[in-house]
Amino acid sequence: MSGGTLNYDALKKAIVEFEADKVKNIVNKMLAANSGPEEIMGKGLIPGMKEVGRLFSEKVYFVPEVLLASEAFYAGFDIVGPLIKKKSRPGKGKVVIGVVQGDIHDIGKNIVKVMLEASGYEVIDLGKDVPTGRFISAVREEKPEILALSSLMTTTMMNMEEVIKILKEKNLRDDIRVIVGGAPVNEEFARKIGADGYGEDAFSALKLVEKFCVR
Amino acid sequence: MSDKISEVLQNQRHQAVFPIVGVDHCSWLLKYDFAEVVHDGEKIARVLEYGYRLYDYDMVLVFLDPYVEAEAMGCELEFKPYPRIKAQSKGSGCTNRTKEIIKAARILKHNVQVPVFVSIKGPFSLASFLAGTEDFLKILLTGEREVLKYLEKALEFQISYLNRLLKLDVHIFIGDPMASASVISPNLFRKFAFEPLGLLIKNINRAGLIAGLHICGETLPLIPILDELKADILSIEDIKPKAKTLKMGGVSTTTILSGSVEKIKNEVKDALKEDRLILATSCDVPAETNPDNLKTMIKTARGLSV
């Protein structure tokens, strides 16, 4: 099997149609036929997730569809990702991401993560229910361009402000851009707590990262 | 007894006011430990009565946290720093707080002069808590039979719980956050969330009580379907779209948490351009909300100077 146009279309289609096993098979066959991992990523996996993003923006796809498509994407990404990393090519930028303390709703954060990885960003995922101090140490150690904070609950959204406040106290705020998102959050709230941007959904979060990560 | 909610429903009044205040904000006001309060019916009633007397709004809602029923059905919760599901199955024994809610509702019925509502979960959201939300969302597209099993279990529990509540003569607010169009498509709503919600609403209406329905996030594409459910009140984030059902909302939760006095006043005034409305926050108010912001909202709605 060669890595021809037709097969990249098949790979893209398998992501859009949530066929994780098919994605895995196609990727393995492409690698066996000497297709480069970057090419598989750039011509098959990324366009697949971009199409999913388009369908989500147009309200054709909703969260269940995006979750299943993400699984299909990772079935391929988990194979080619390590091969790309081995060549240690510089990424487009580094993002530290996590759901703030007290909040365990991480579906939105996971979708943002997949969109960022699919677009070539290095993502340090701190997970959910992340204590403020953990965000601070990750910013200090990883030196990301972006810190992405998520909260789904009105009870936990103020913890985003706490993270930004401590970043300022530790003189780390000027080195990074902070973006926020989640159901109860809006543009005004983001401005009020001193964030640099608000992502209404995973795909606008990606656009923000692209805007802030110009190298 | 003042029942402005029924008066709005019966077209005898334009507006009533209720910022969605639950046990967490009222516990915070009194510096009570939330985790302790939600396990004690008398304390639940005490904090909610305090909130009602402080703010003088037009209804009281017995709302603890979203996981009361999931916990009673076997999920393990933790309450600190915030209530959440720790594990889908506790293994042994269930903590059933529904009896504390019933106790609180009974006390409040006696002590307050406005209608008392009790919050219950929509079967779709309850089923998602039982299955684990991410897994549940995936099986909506891949495992219909499994989804139906969870829904059946959730509905069976809710009908029995609802019947106990209706005997108290309290009104009901059904919250179904996972059925929002921010999460699932209108098609999936129609397929899985619609019928169980409809059954609960019919039971409430049959008892001659008020059925409210709260859906968070995006609801615009759902409004025609929500209207078909024939709830009495529809509590939604964006009240601008037209709906046949009486709407509830108008003030963003973010505004009430961190907006200026002017911003709160403007949102109230904008919302009151609706013919009839239960003026409310778009979701439950966060615990640490400044009481002055809530007072501003209520006073502005009542036409009093702030």
Side-chain angles (χ1 to χ4, degrees):
Chain A
M1 190 181 195
S2 70
T5 313
L6 184 64
N7 296 319
Y8 287 121
D9 283 345
L11 184 52
K12 182 177 151 184
K13 190 166 174 266
I15 290 173
V16 174
E17 294 178 354
F18 332 130
E19 295 184 278
D21 288 343
K22 202 169 180 179
V23 168
K24 205 169 166 182
N25 280 337
I26 295 173
V27 168
N28 280 328
K29 283 179 183 169
M30 283 177 168
L31 287 170
N34 287 328
S35 290
E38 294 92 344
E39 201 182 342
I40 296 170
M41 186 78 165
K43 291 185 177 172
L45 298 177
I46 293 175
M49 264 332 269
K50 282 202 168 150
E51 177 61 6
V52 171
R54 188 187 67 77
L55 292 167
F56 183 80
S57 301
E58 291 178 7
K59 300 196 189 310
V60 178
Y61 275 12
F62 290 76
V63 176
E65 289 83 355
V66 176
L67 286 173
L68 289 175
S70 301
E71 272 189 356
F73 166 81
Y74 275 118
F77 181 80
D78 287 346
I79 301 169
V80 297
L83 300 175
I84 295 171
K85 266 189 190 161
K86 256 188 202 167
K87 295 184 180 175
S88 66
R89 288 173 56 146
K92 288 164 76 177
K94 195 190 267 189
V95 181
V96 166
I97 191 168
V99 180
V100 294
Q101 186 160 29
D103 204 327
I104 53 159
H105 303 90
D106 62 351
I107 293 173
K109 182 267 294 172
N110 291 341
I111 296 173
V112 174
K113 180 188 170 189
V114 70
M115 289 309 296
L116 292 172
E117 289 194 327
S119 302
Y121 293 94
E122 185 186 350
V123 181
I124 311 294
D125 182 5
L126 302 182
K128 56 194 174 186
D129 189 16
V130 181
T132 299
R134 179 79 190 89
F135 281 113
I136 307 301
S137 54
V139 167
R140 191 175 278 136
E141 286 155 22
E142 299 289 346
K143 300 189 177 15
E145 279 86 355
I146 309 279
L147 173 64
L149 303 173
S150 166
S151 163
L152 194 87
M153 293 155 61
T154 52
T155 44
T156 57
M157 62 199 276
M158 292 314 285
N159 291 338
M160 294 177 164
E161 187 178 25
E162 176 74 7
V163 174
I164 295 172
K165 197 179 114 199
I166 307 286
L167 283 172
K168 280 182 194 160
E169 283 173 16
K170 305 280 179 195
N171 293 322
L172 293 165
R173 179 67 184 89
D174 294 341
D175 303 333
I176 49 156
R177 303 284 193 143
V178 181
I179 63 172
V180 296
V185 182
N186 61 19
E187 188 82 52
E188 192 195 349
F189 177 77
R191 265 200 308 273
K192 176 131 189 155
I193 64 169
D196 297 297
Y198 157 69
E200 189 183 1
D201 55 38
F203 307 98
S204 55
L206 171 62
K207 280 185 190 149
L208 273 180
V209 171
E210 282 169 343
K211 185 175 120 188
F212 291 143
C213 261
V214 180
R215 282 186 159 176
Chain B
M1 171 82 175
S2 155
D3 189 352
K4 290 180 185 162
I5 304 290
S6 293
E7 288 174 16
V8 178
L9 277 165
Q10 289 156 16
N11 234 333
Q12 296 162 355
R13 156 186 291 278
H14 291 296
Q15 68 185 65
V17 191
F18 178 62
I20 306 179
V21 171
V23 168
D24 59 350
H25 176 66
C26 296
S27 300
W28 177 79
L29 287 171
L30 283 166
K31 297 188 171 58
Y32 282 13
D33 181 71
F34 173 77
E36 203 183 303
V37 173
V38 294
H39 288 92
D40 182 332
E42 282 176 24
K43 284 183 182 157
I44 294 169
R46 194 182 310 151
V47 300
L48 288 176
E49 187 179 340
Y50 179 83
Y52 156 71
R53 300 214 179 276
L54 177 70
Y55 296 120
D56 187 29
Y57 34 62
D58 296 328
M59 58 180 261
V60 168
L61 177 69
V62 184
F63 172 66
L64 280 55
D65 56 76
Y67 310 117
V68 171
E69 297 98 321
E71 185 186 37
M73 293 178 76
C75 290
E76 184 177 3
L77 300 197
E78 54 187 14
F79 287 88
K80 289 189 176 169
Y82 304 102
R84 55 194 170 163
I85 294 177
K86 191 176 167 193
Q88 253 57 44
S89 170
K90 196 175 180 180
S92 63
C94 301
T95 307
N96 193 338
R97 288 180 288 148
T98 60
K99 56 181 185 298
E100 300 304 325
I101 288 178
I102 287 170
K103 193 193 281 179
R106 199 173 274 136
I107 298 170
L108 286 163
K109 278 277 292 177
H110 186 262
N111 288 6
V112 303
Q113 287 75 47
V114 291
V116 174
F117 284 72
V118 173
S119 166
I120 67 169
K121 273 289 136 292
F124 183 84
S125 295
L126 178 54
S128 80
F129 299 153
L130 298 175
T133 49
E134 192 162 331
D135 287 343
F136 187 75
L137 290 175
K138 287 181 196 164
I139 61 172
L140 290 173
L141 299 173
T142 60
E144 189 174 334
R145 281 177 64 178
E146 214 180 333
V147 174
L148 294 176
K149 256 192 231 168
Y150 278 113
L151 278 173
E152 205 177 308
K153 212 170 138 188
L155 182 61
E156 193 186 327
F157 184 92
Q158 287 306 60
I159 285 182
S160 146
Y161 179 34
L162 179 65
N163 288 338
R164 283 156 61 212
L165 290 169
L166 294 178
K167 280 182 192 152
L168 301 176
D169 217 22
V170 290
H171 306 294
I172 305 293
F173 238 99
I174 308 170
D176 216 348
M178 293 300 291
S180 160
S182 300
V183 183
I184 60 165
S185 66
N187 285 344
L188 285 180
F189 184 97
R190 172 79 75 185
K191 192 171 176 182
F192 294 118
F194 183 83
E195 202 182 316
L197 273 175
L199 268 170
L200 296 183
I201 291 167
K202 259 187 204 155
N203 277 8
I204 301 164
N205 288 339
R206 216 176 282 145
L209 294 158
I210 301 170
L213 175 60
H214 174 78
I215 309 255
C216 313
E218 170 80 79
T219 46
L220 178 63
L222 292 179
I223 285 183
I225 312 175
L226 297 176
D227 274 337
E228 280 179 51
L229 283 167
K230 294 193 167 41
D232 299 293
I233 302 168
L234 196 52
S235 162
I236 45 180
E237 199 162 311
D238 180 7
I239 59 161
K240 286 197 181 80
K242 289 210 177 321
K244 288 178 192 160
T245 316
L246 173 67
K247 287 178 284 187
M248 173 166 171
V251 178
S252 141
T253 311
T254 315
T255 302
I256 213 71
L257 179 67
S258 56
S260 63
V261 169
E262 274 319 299
K263 171 102 177 141
I264 296 168
K265 282 175 161 181
N266 287 340
E267 286 193 19
V268 170
K269 284 174 190 164
D270 253 12
L272 292 181
K273 286 174 188 160
E274 291 281 324
D275 278 348
R276 288 185 311 141
L277 180 73
I278 312 285
L279 180 79
T281 46
S282 51
C283 207
D284 57 308
V285 305
E288 298 89 352
T289 302
N290 182 343
D292 289 342
N293 290 359
L294 291 167
K295 287 176 185 168
T296 298
M297 174 183 165
I298 293 162
K299 281 185 177 173
T300 308
R302 305 240 194 261
L304 302 170
S305 59
V306 178

